[in-house]
Amino acid sequence: MARLLVVHHTPSPATQELLEAALAGAGDEAIEGVEVVVRPALVASAVETMKADGYLLGTPANIGYISGALKHYFDTVYYPCLEATRGRPFAAYVHGNLDSGGAVRAIESITKGLQWRAVAPVLTVSGAPDRAARDAVYELAATLAATVSSG
Ligand SMILES: Cc1cc2nc3c(=O)[nH]c(=O)nc-3n(C[C@H](O)[C@H](O)[C@H](O)COP(=O)(O)O)c2cc1C
């Protein structure tokens, strides 16, 4: 069975809402044959990353960048996983309250280095997530899961 690894940093109710929307989308009943593995970014490992077929990343914007937790994840897996994960699909969402631009650029730059393949542009949500934001995260995760399912 194909495996989707969700790597997230979720420090608040707003980010929890987005994570729940993402997990609902990844588990959309129309998508078959995908096991979803969920890991906080501070504990996700290189082995889990190698064993997955695609990646969903979720982070707040912190001080103009991705969270330290997601940065720690990339620092942990980058070189160990560079060869094994090249070309695999990913998607990402960023929650911020002001300006998520630096976080988006960081994800784009790091995943370009890894040569992961974006299934959609990095999604940004500002402020309290509304229905449209939750739906957008759901669709993003469902699109990624469908891509992982089809190999
Ligand atoms: C130390 C710190 C730095 C932050 N830096 C940014 C930032 O650069 N840009 C931004 O849009 N939001 C920033 N935020 C807001 C967080 O992105 C936001 O708190 C997080 O997404 C959770 O959302 P919530 O606080 O509305 O629950 C920062 C928050 C903290 C605690």
Side-chain angles (χ1 to χ4, degrees):
M1 183 180 278
R3 188 176 298 167
L4 172 59
L5 178 63
V6 180
V7 179
H8 66 96
H9 183 54
T10 302
S12 75
T15 47
Q16 180 69 27
E17 279 189 59
L18 298 187
L19 176 63
E20 287 173 9
L23 297 183
D28 187 299
E29 63 185 18
I31 302 161
E32 292 180 350
V34 178
E35 176 191 7
V36 180
V37 176
V38 187
R39 292 288 182 266
L42 289 173
V43 302
S45 74
V47 170
E48 288 171 324
T49 301
M50 279 188 261
K51 286 182 172 173
D53 302 289
Y55 312 98
L56 179 62
L57 310 168
T59 185
N62 281 161
I63 320 178
Y65 200 69
I66 53 176
S67 61
L70 189 61
K71 176 64 162 50
H72 169 78
Y73 168 71
F74 282 129
D75 288 352
T76 302
V77 307
Y78 191 95
Y79 281 110
C81 296
L82 187 56
E83 291 293 329
T85 66
R86 193 166 279 156
R88 290 184 186 166
F90 84 98
Y93 62 88
V94 176
H95 182 267
N97 285 332
L98 186 64
D99 178 9
S100 297
V104 170
R105 285 191 293 278
I107 291 170
E108 290 171 344
S109 157
I110 295 165
T111 54
K112 183 178 177 189
L114 286 164
Q115 296 178 48
W116 290 1
R117 175 168 49 93
V119 302
V122 176
L123 178 66
T124 59
V125 175
S126 294
D130 59 11
R131 176 71 187 266
R134 291 192 299 272
D135 286 352
V137 172
Y138 182 106
E139 287 302 326
L140 181 74
T143 298
L144 176 61
T147 302
V148 168
S149 165
S150 64

